[in-house]
Amino acid sequence: MTFKEQILEGIPDHLPAEKPYEIDINHAPKRKAILSPEEEKLALRNALRYFDKKHHNTLIKEFKHELDTYGRIYMYRLRPDYKMYARPIDEYPAQSKQAAAIMLMIQNNLDYAVAQHPHELITYGGNGGVFSNWAQYRLTMKYLAEMNDEQTLVMYSGHPMGLFPSHKEAPRVVVTNGMMIPNYSQPDDWEKFNALGVTQYGQMTAGSYMYIGPQGIVHGTTITVLNGFRKINKTPKGNLFVTSGLGGMSGAQPKAGNIAGCITVCAEVNPKITQVRLDQGWIDEKISDLDTLVARVTKAKSEKETISIAYLGNVVDVWKKFDEENIHIDLGSDQTSLHNPWAGGYYPVGLTFEEANDMMANNPELFKEKVQDSLRLHADAINKHTAKGTYFFDYGNAFLLEASRAGADIMASNGIDFKYPSYVQDIMGPMCFDYGFGPFRWVCASGKPEDLEKTDAIACEVLEEIKRHSPKEIQQQMSDNIQWIKGAQANKLVVGSQARILYADAEGRAKIAEAFNQAIAKGDIGTVILGRDHHDVSGTDSPYRETSNIYDGSRFTADMAIHNVIGDSFRGATWVSIHNGGGVGWGEVINGGFGMVLDGSKEASKRLKSMLFWDVNNGISRRSWARNEGAVFAIKRAMEIEPNLKVTLPNLVDDEIIDSL
């Protein structure tokens, strides 16, 4: 069968042959056994409902084996034979170009070069799934192929509920992931209900089909590292950044360190993903001996090199060794998946990778003890370095949160706050999000590198023009992003689709998008798909990350993220998504995203202006109401630009009035 025929087939009438378990693929760890015997039967019933009764006797044994062996029913037999990657948009069988664009993005999320655990349909973060099983993937792609522009596909946590009548201006797809009743949103609830096949963890951009590989966070990490060094009044050159994690999102750290110009040491326990990053050129060297690492870093410091080094081993050992050898760390962080600490997001020191995986599945209570022991040791080692002048920040991965739950010494003297800031509190919030700058991204649906090169040039030209007239408050942001886009081609950031990301405010996003749409109308480039990371100005309510610099008490509310998705959906988004969970954990965050297809039409021009303005200024207005100085400035400027915008501004209260009580 051709690729198009396989897509249109959906769930096949005749079962394909069983597929061998490919040991060379980076697989998800075995999930702990959490279902009761009756719940296991329910999980099997839930899985078998995708198939005709004639297949049930064959599949029930197979699915029971998967559940017993891996803790989940992935339906490996249904994995397609064709190569998984983002094809040019015209190669998809589709009645709607918008639907074809979504098919392209789904396949990009599952590309072996992009996805962390491609056979388990997990894009990044250890559990960030596009779907829970391969039947869902096949059925979704079939629905998208059949969809017309007056239908909307409804996605319930990876399950395609079906096509419903709507209209041309409605989103083509509406995605929800993990939207639990609040009292059922603990980590074990995810384990249980995911094993039952009724919900999934969509991470941030995995379950919304908008992940573009590590490039998506390379830029944000570059900005963070640059501003981190600015904060301590140092240049990156010859200075050291120590962190950990080389998986999906965290894999961007060494590449960003190279772009910023510092020495980066990034520890990783998984040999497969470490080798992938070395092969991709995202790290320069791999070292597995601590003495060799010390010698190499010492040499790099003395020669003021720009270099990224992966240490194949546990980061706790690196922090301890560098303390013993008096290696000064300038910037320190951690980007292991501590939102998922008990199922592969964090590996405890003192165990091999294989020993940890075995304990995780077969003795989860002991594994949890080991993780918490390790977090205490981790924090103690960091504390020794910060006492010597290291600037440490939490990278929004729930490191400080989980360390505090483990009883580590990371609390401030008031017993309420952490002694170390979140990077959003110190860097990204006041310097970027409050002013409306966040991760705007696009994908060239033609698949042509030359289209990406042309869009880079268009974006750079637009930003340089805006910068000539922009106020001093955002000049640094403009300069950083112009520098970034000029170096984007040289830094070889494309993994998977022909995609790009930069930080832009509402004005920048709308003007860049309009310039793309005009270029498409002229035939200079093909279709472009717009999106953003959920880690943005408006998309995410996350009290320990995106909204950690909100100090009016509202950081634990989720009104902004919900309004963001609702507002995007009727202002022209091609698809919208809302998720429970993300980089800081299940039950800890609500985040929303969108995708928008530009086809060169007047309708697309109208939609982009309406939606992108709202998508950013919704968040600025909330940050302004929280009395954030940069956001007050930004929303006043937005009201001057758009007379139809009227936002409630805060009246500031003098401290002495409050203190006089």
Side-chain angles (χ1 to χ4, degrees), residues 346-359:
Y346 181 92
Y347 282 75
V349 69
L351 296 176
T352 67
F353 184 58
E354 293 74 19
E355 288 170 343
N357 279 328
D358 180 71
M359 187 184 293

Side-chain angles (χ1 to χ4, degrees), residues 91-106:
E91 292 186 19
Y92 290 94
Q95 299 181 47
S96 163
K97 178 162 278 193
Q98 294 182 1
I102 298 167
M103 296 166 82
L104 180 160
M105 296 301 293
I106 287 172

Side-chain angles (χ1 to χ4, degrees), residues 3 16 86 141 145 163 177 259-260 320 327 330 341 351 376 418 427 446 458 472 487 491 563 587 589 600 642 661:
F3 168 70
M141 295 295 278
L163 293 171
N177 280 300
I259 295 170
K320 290 170 69 176
I327 300 289
D330 299 281
L351 296 176
R376 289 190 288 271
F418 299 129
I427 300 171
S446 67
I458 291 169
K472 62 180 176 59
N491 286 313
H563 267 285
V589 53
E642 173 51 72
L661 291 176

Side-chain angles (χ1 to χ4, degrees), residues 101 136 197 211 243 256 262 290 324 328 344 371 378 407 412 445 456 463 528 575 617 632 646:
Q136 292 178 347
Y211 189 58
T243 185
C262 64
L290 284 168
E324 293 164 6
H328 181 68
V371 166
H378 198 158
D456 284 346
L463 291 179
V528 170
W575 74 97
N617 283 294
V632 173
K646 307 288 183 184

Side-chain angles (χ1 to χ4, degrees), residues 371-407:
V371 166
Q372 293 194 317
D373 288 344
S374 188
L375 283 167
R376 289 190 288 271
L377 291 171
H378 198 158
D380 286 344
I382 289 167
N383 290 340
K384 289 177 180 177
H385 282 274
T386 57
K388 299 176 185 179
T390 296
Y391 173 63
F392 182 85
F393 57 90
D394 184 290
Y395 215 148
N397 63 332
F399 172 74
L400 293 179
L401 181 63
E402 286 302 331
S404 70
R405 289 168 175 169

Side-chain angles (χ1 to χ4, degrees), residues 24 29 49 106 127 130 146 161 185 199 250 257 302 320 327 329 372 383 531-532 559 592 607 626:
D24 293 335
R49 60 184 160 178
I106 287 172
N127 55 9
V130 188
E146 296 172 343
M161 190 62 69
S185 200
T199 195
S250 54
S302 67
K320 290 170 69 176
I327 300 289
I329 299 170
Q372 293 194 317
N383 290 340
R532 58 160 168 75
D559 299 86
R607 287 194 293 267

Side-chain angles (χ1 to χ4, degrees), residues 455-490:
T455 58
D456 284 346
I458 291 169
C460 187
E461 184 178 342
V462 170
L463 291 179
E464 287 179 328
E465 175 59 28
I466 294 173
K467 184 176 183 292
R468 281 193 278 271
H469 308 288
S470 61
K472 62 180 176 59
E473 286 86 351
I474 62 172
Q475 283 288 313
Q476 185 66 65
Q477 280 286 355
M478 300 301 299
S479 297
D480 283 350
N481 282 284
I482 290 167
Q483 179 183 346
W484 161 267
I485 202 69
K486 284 182 175 178
Q489 295 282 335

Side-chain angles (χ1 to χ4, degrees), residues 122-156:
I122 290 171
T123 302
Y124 66 91
N127 55 9
V130 188
F131 303 98
S132 294
N133 60 60
W134 286 102
Q136 292 178 347
Y137 166 83
R138 283 178 173 263
L139 192 53
T140 298
M141 295 295 278
K142 178 178 171 64
Y143 276 136
L144 288 168
E146 296 172 343
M147 170 190 288
N148 62 50
D149 283 336
E150 294 192 349
Q151 291 175 303
T152 293
L153 176 60
V154 175
M155 298 295 300
Y156 275 35

